[in-house]
Amino acid sequence: MTSELKFNFGNMSLSTIHSDDMQDRKRPRQNATEARSERNVPFIEEDSFSDIVLVVEGKRLYTSRSLLSMSSPILTRMLQSPEFKEKREIPLTGKKHEHILELLYILHPAYQRKLSDQSIFMILSLAEEYQIWNLKQKCEESLLLCLNNEKNQNEELLLKCLHASDEFKLFALWTKCLQIISKPSLSMTSLQRSSGYENLSRFLKSMLEAFKGTTREEVSKPVTHPTMSSGRRDSTLFVNETNLKKAYSTSFTQTKT
């Protein structure tokens, strides 16, 4: 039942407001969570676009061959191999379910989830393994942007970024890390006390020791390499493009530990 309400404001009147309209306005709008619950959960439940299932840690992730093939030449070759070409379910051994799920959210054009501080190093590793070069570049750009903020320039993050730049051959990130580490406010002692220091290769450790002009007490003689001399050295002489490129190239000829 509807009823017309009329209000007089001097010479003006407001009419044709119906009670049904007012009731409609009182009904709560459907929130985003409720709206999503009416659809399939992405990748967890099968939808009209799903034509392949990734089995990770015994759990199924529903996606499409097209998405995987467009994203990665490694996955393309795997899906086209005789072993998996005709199969609907593809096992991904040695991977974590949550990691592959996060990767799918990032790759899918309908979601394009942003890289998070918690997932970026894991995603970088997957991007390298599956040769998803545009995603690898995005990871490096995100880490560079993070390091541009002085509040984020702590020893732990610096060493994680330096380790990642060395492992995945990210020259811009490698350079940025060394430029920040060259600051007098960061001591070699504080770097060595960080848990991330033990993850560095032997080459990087020796390079930082020579670069910062100090070594651990138990090391009687620092290890040198062609681009740097042992003992103390002015960091400004080292942090330039020529020397960085030489050291960067040398790092990939050294034995990593």
Side-chain angles (χ1 to χ4, degrees):
M1 179 177 180
T2 63
S3 60
E4 184 178 279
L5 303 178
K6 185 172 182 180
F7 302 91
N8 292 318
F9 300 93
N11 296 327
M12 301 177 63
S13 65
L14 179 61
S15 60
T16 67
I17 300 179
H18 294 80
S19 59
D20 285 353
D21 295 332
M22 296 179 69
Q23 290 297 324
D24 289 339
R25 295 179 186 180
K26 290 180 181 179
R27 296 191 184 103
R29 293 186 177 182
Q30 188 181 42
N31 59 41
T33 302
E34 292 172 339
R36 285 196 297 269
S37 66
E38 294 182 359
R39 303 193 301 266
N40 289 347
V41 180
F43 312 117
I44 302 299
E45 299 177 1
E46 190 170 9
D47 58 28
S48 58
F49 298 101
S50 305
D51 60 7
I52 193 171
V53 183
L54 301 178
V55 183
V56 191
E57 294 186 313
K59 302 176 183 177
R60 288 173 170 78
L61 290 172
Y62 298 88
T63 183
S64 69
R65 288 178 177 267
S66 297
L67 174 64
L68 300 179
S69 297
M70 287 187 296
S71 303
S72 164
I74 299 297
L75 293 175
T76 298
R77 289 195 292 270
M78 183 183 73
L79 294 175
Q80 292 178 350
S81 67
E83 183 180 1
F84 297 116
K85 189 173 183 179
E86 302 300 329
K87 288 187 177 180
R88 175 172 168 77
E89 292 195 357
I90 310 295
L92 292 183
T93 58
K95 298 292 182 290
K96 289 187 175 297
H97 175 267
E98 60 185 286
H99 294 174
I100 300 301
L101 177 60
E102 183 71 14
L103 180 64
L104 291 175
Y105 267 113
I106 291 172
L107 294 177
H108 201 291
Y111 301 100
Q112 296 184 327
R113 180 176 288 178
K114 293 183 179 180
L115 295 164
S116 67
D117 295 341
Q118 293 75 29
S119 68
I120 189 166
F121 291 102
M122 172 271 295
I123 292 297
L124 178 57
S125 179
L126 290 175
E128 175 75 13
E129 180 179 354
Y130 293 130
Q131 296 183 6
I132 311 175
W133 304 133
N134 63 329
L135 180 56
K136 180 179 176 180
Q137 182 179 354
K138 287 181 181 180
C139 289
E140 183 179 27
E141 291 171 351
S142 295
L143 290 171
L144 286 169
L145 185 62
C146 182
L147 290 179
N148 282 334
N149 186 342
E150 292 188 0
K151 294 181 180 180
N152 298 325
Q153 295 176 6
N154 59 76
E155 290 88 345
E156 207 63 53
L157 178 60
L158 279 170
L159 292 177
K160 287 182 70 174
C161 288
L162 183 60
H163 173 69
S165 67
D166 187 55
E167 182 178 1
F168 303 119
K169 302 178 178 61
L170 304 172
F171 178 69
L173 182 62
W174 198 81
T175 302
K176 183 67 175 180
C177 290
L178 291 180
Q179 287 175 336
I180 297 173
I181 289 173
S182 69
K183 296 179 179 181
S185 57
L186 283 174
S187 68
M188 187 62 191
T189 301
S190 63
L191 291 171
Q192 290 173 332
R193 287 175 178 171
S194 300
S195 59
Y197 185 79
E198 295 305 321
N199 295 326
L200 299 181
S201 67
R202 182 171 57 185
F203 172 79
L204 281 179
K205 289 178 182 178
S206 65
M207 186 188 73
L208 289 180
E209 288 167 358
F211 177 39
K212 296 297 286 185
T214 185
T215 61
R216 288 180 179 270
E217 293 180 0
E218 63 270 19
V219 178
S220 58
K221 184 178 180 180
V223 181
T224 61
H225 58 80
T227 62
M228 300 193 313
S229 61
S230 60
R232 193 165 190 82
R233 180 171 183 169
D234 186 351
S235 62
T236 58
L237 296 178
F238 176 76
V239 186
N240 61 62
E241 186 175 358
T242 301
N243 281 333
L244 282 173
K245 285 183 177 179
K246 287 181 180 179
Y248 181 76
S249 299
T250 304
S251 70
F252 301 116
T253 64
Q254 304 295 312
T255 301
K256 304 294 183 65
T257 58

